[in-house]
Amino acid sequence: DDHDDHGHDDHDDHGHDDHDDHGHDDHGHDDHDDHGHDDHDDHGHDDHDDHGHHGHHHGRFDPHAWLYPANAVAWLDAISTELSKVDPDNAETYRKNARDAELRIEEAVGSVRARAADLGSVSYVIGHDALGYFESAFGLPAVGAVSDAEDTVPGPRRLRVIENAMAAQGIDCILTPPGSSSPLANALARSGGVRVVPVDQLGLGIEAGEDFYSDLLHHIIESLEDCAGE
């Protein structure tokens, strides 16, 4: 919830308000033009409800802003700028490292976008509503979420909505954090006759290193490919 300054106040269903151009204008996406991310326009979800997000509520704030690659690029610039201010002798090193990281992110985004295109469509429910930014960036929206981004316990009404959506749309799987034991998600999976597939949006199982962020994006698309049986 420390992302209050990213403006999730008015979009109660998903925590993403004012999606004018890229689906997340208030989350550092004003910098898209500076970093060659204009092609995110084709993924701009002005209204997630149009994409089948039945019962899909991020709560007031969605704190998972790192899962939108343009945010990561914007933060790299901000970090390198601040480091350069406090350590001007190494400013060029900070700028070079940030540029190199941006190129690796852009390469990863291109690769993940190609894999998403090959995947076509995948119908899934998310156990914990943490992938909204990734969904928006790569055009792979979830049908619904068992609990919202603030991890509140869902009520009977939401569960009925999700069960109905699962029955109507032929869900491929339910994505949950690795090692998670969610009785509700497991019960929904059993009732819908689908698998539970792990997805590590925090990257806790990914080795730290200069390619960590790229590996995180690839891990998430791999989970969706597994969900679809690819």
Side-chain angles (χ1 to χ4, degrees):
D1 295 344
D2 54 348
H3 295 275
D4 292 5
D5 57 337
H6 297 294
H8 292 285
D9 295 339
D10 298 324
H11 204 310
D12 291 339
D13 287 344
H14 305 284
H16 304 307
D17 63 326
D18 298 321
H19 295 197
D20 292 329
D21 294 317
H22 302 288
H24 299 284
D25 284 356
D26 289 335
H27 309 293
H29 299 355
D30 294 333
D31 296 325
H32 276 222
D33 292 342
D34 296 337
H35 304 290
H37 292 285
D38 294 348
D39 55 354
H40 280 279
D41 289 347
D42 58 344
H43 298 293
H45 301 313
D46 293 333
D47 186 346
H48 284 268
D49 289 339
D50 291 342
H51 300 278
H53 279 55
H54 303 294
H56 202 27
H57 303 281
H58 290 296
R60 188 178 180 189
F61 301 107
D62 179 1
H64 307 89
W66 65 86
L67 294 180
Y68 202 91
N71 281 346
V73 169
W75 293 344
L76 277 171
D77 286 346
I79 291 168
S80 66
T81 297
E82 290 305 311
L83 288 174
S84 297
K85 289 178 182 177
V86 299
D87 184 16
D89 290 344
N90 291 300
E92 182 53 36
T93 297
Y94 296 130
R95 285 192 289 268
K96 179 182 183 302
N97 289 342
R99 287 195 299 270
D100 290 345
E102 288 176 17
L103 290 175
R104 289 195 297 272
I105 290 174
E106 289 178 2
E107 181 179 0
V109 167
S111 175
V112 172
R113 185 167 292 140
R115 292 172 70 173
D118 289 340
L119 184 58
S121 64
V122 56
S123 186
Y124 65 98
V125 165
I126 188 97
H128 171 60
D129 198 5
L131 296 184
Y133 284 92
F134 185 93
E135 296 169 26
S136 187
F138 297 103
L140 294 168
V143 168
V146 179
S147 65
D148 64 21
E150 295 175 345
D151 211 16
T152 57
V153 177
R157 179 175 175 274
R158 177 188 283 188
L159 292 176
R160 284 196 300 272
V161 170
I162 294 173
E163 286 179 324
N164 291 338
M166 290 176 62
Q169 300 197 32
I171 300 300
D172 294 312
C173 78
I174 296 179
L175 294 180
T176 63
S180 170
S181 178
S182 169
L184 288 174
N186 291 333
L188 285 169
R190 286 194 300 270
S191 67
V194 298
R195 295 179 301 132
V196 173
V197 173
V199 61
D200 184 5
Q201 71 272 4
L202 296 175
L204 298 177
I206 298 174
E207 183 177 353
E210 65 179 20
D211 290 324
F212 172 83
Y213 189 77
S214 298
D215 291 342
L216 175 61
L217 296 180
H218 281 108
H219 160 73
I220 295 173
I221 194 66
E222 284 170 8
S223 292
L224 287 167
E225 289 169 342
D226 184 15
C227 177
E230 293 291 313

